[in-house]
Amino acid sequence: IYVVDNGGQWTHREWRTLRDLNVDTKIVPNTTLLNELVSENVYGLVLSGGAPRIGLDSKLGNCAEYLEKAKFPILGICAGHQFMARFFGGDAKPSKIPEFGKIELTLLTENDPLFEEVPEKSIVWQSHNDEVTVLPEIFELLAESENCKIQAMKHKKKPFYGLQFHPEVEHTQYGEQIFKNFVKLCEK
């Protein structure tokens, strides 16, 4: 499972969380071609966060190619989540109320594999000026917070997930569990 570097401040934490779960992982630039990843037997990708407003760009390295052609699970975090939403016909815009620090996450669905063993309400770490404002039609809403209505989403047909919050930061209560669950999804 590789971490695609979109310039986020916590890309190395995503990598370290996977490494600490004994996953064969490395950080790759977002300009890496999909066929290079496939030739290295990658079976999952994490699209990292990025600099402010980067999720609003129409291009994010080769992330569009991954979303269009990959058959393995992809987890978009922060800017990766925003780009994923826009790629599939949703939208992302500057937040009315940017969120920084600890917030309460509310799960809106039961039994989703990414949130297995995560309670309905938990504390997660936020660091965003932008957010997904329109859920793509082909996605299902999984979680919200008081000031951000699309905190987590999943593609209805592909194993793709987007998270606005940062599961890789130690202040996110069940962040490691979310990564464990993503690894399980990748191993299927």
Side-chain angles (χ1 to χ4, degrees), residues 168-185:
E168 72 277 15
V169 176
E170 63 195 21
H171 303 298
T172 294
Q173 283 181 315
Y174 294 89
E176 185 175 303
Q177 183 63 47
I178 291 167
F179 269 98
K180 282 180 185 173
N181 293 340
F182 182 66
V183 171
K184 274 194 230 170
L185 286 165

Side-chain angles (χ1 to χ4, degrees), residues 3 6 14 19 36 46 50 58 60 70 80 95-96 100 108 127 136 139 153 157 160 164-165 173 187-188:
V3 177
N6 290 313
E14 296 156 0
R19 185 201 63 192
E36 291 175 47
V46 174
S58 58
L60 195 58
S95 305
K96 288 187 176 126
F100 297 94
L108 302 174
S127 178
F139 276 71
M153 63 182 191
K157 296 184 178 168
F160 296 174
Q164 182 59 63
F165 64 93
Q173 283 181 315
E187 290 172 342
K188 285 185 177 175

Side-chain angles (χ1 to χ4, degrees), residues 55-188:
L56 307 184
D57 288 347
S58 58
K59 190 162 170 48
L60 195 58
N62 285 327
C63 290
E65 181 190 21
Y66 312 148
L67 294 171
E68 182 183 347
K69 298 178 181 172
K71 307 250 188 280
F72 46 70
I74 296 178
L75 177 63
I77 296 175
C78 199
H81 161 74
Q82 295 159 14
F83 184 82
M84 183 182 287
R86 292 182 73 245
F87 179 83
F88 286 106
D91 203 4
K93 297 217 180 305
S95 305
K96 288 187 176 126
I97 302 173
E99 293 180 310
F100 297 94
K102 295 177 183 180
I103 58 111
E104 185 177 67
L105 181 77
T106 302
L107 297 181
L108 302 174
T109 183
E110 292 180 28
N111 304 321
D112 187 85
L114 189 67
F115 291 102
E116 190 177 306
E117 295 186 45
V118 176
E120 179 188 359
K121 293 191 182 291
S122 66
I123 299 300
V124 298
W125 189 262
Q126 291 285 99
S127 178
H128 71 96
N129 286 298
D130 309 313
E131 65 186 71
V132 175
T133 54
V134 177
L135 186 72
E137 280 185 32
I138 193 88
F139 276 71
E140 176 184 346
L141 180 61
L142 300 178
E144 66 181 8
S145 65
E146 182 181 354
N147 295 314
C148 179
K149 294 304 168 196
I150 305 174
Q151 280 285 355
M153 63 182 191
K154 108 179 185 185
H155 197 287
K156 292 177 182 174
K157 296 184 178 168
K158 296 181 175 193
F160 296 174
Y161 285 84
L163 304 176
Q164 182 59 63
F165 64 93
H166 289 272
E168 72 277 15
V169 176
E170 63 195 21
H171 303 298
T172 294
Q173 283 181 315
Y174 294 89
E176 185 175 303
Q177 183 63 47
I178 291 167
F179 269 98
K180 282 180 185 173
N181 293 340
F182 182 66
V183 171
K184 274 194 230 170
L185 286 165
C186 293
E187 290 172 342
K188 285 185 177 175

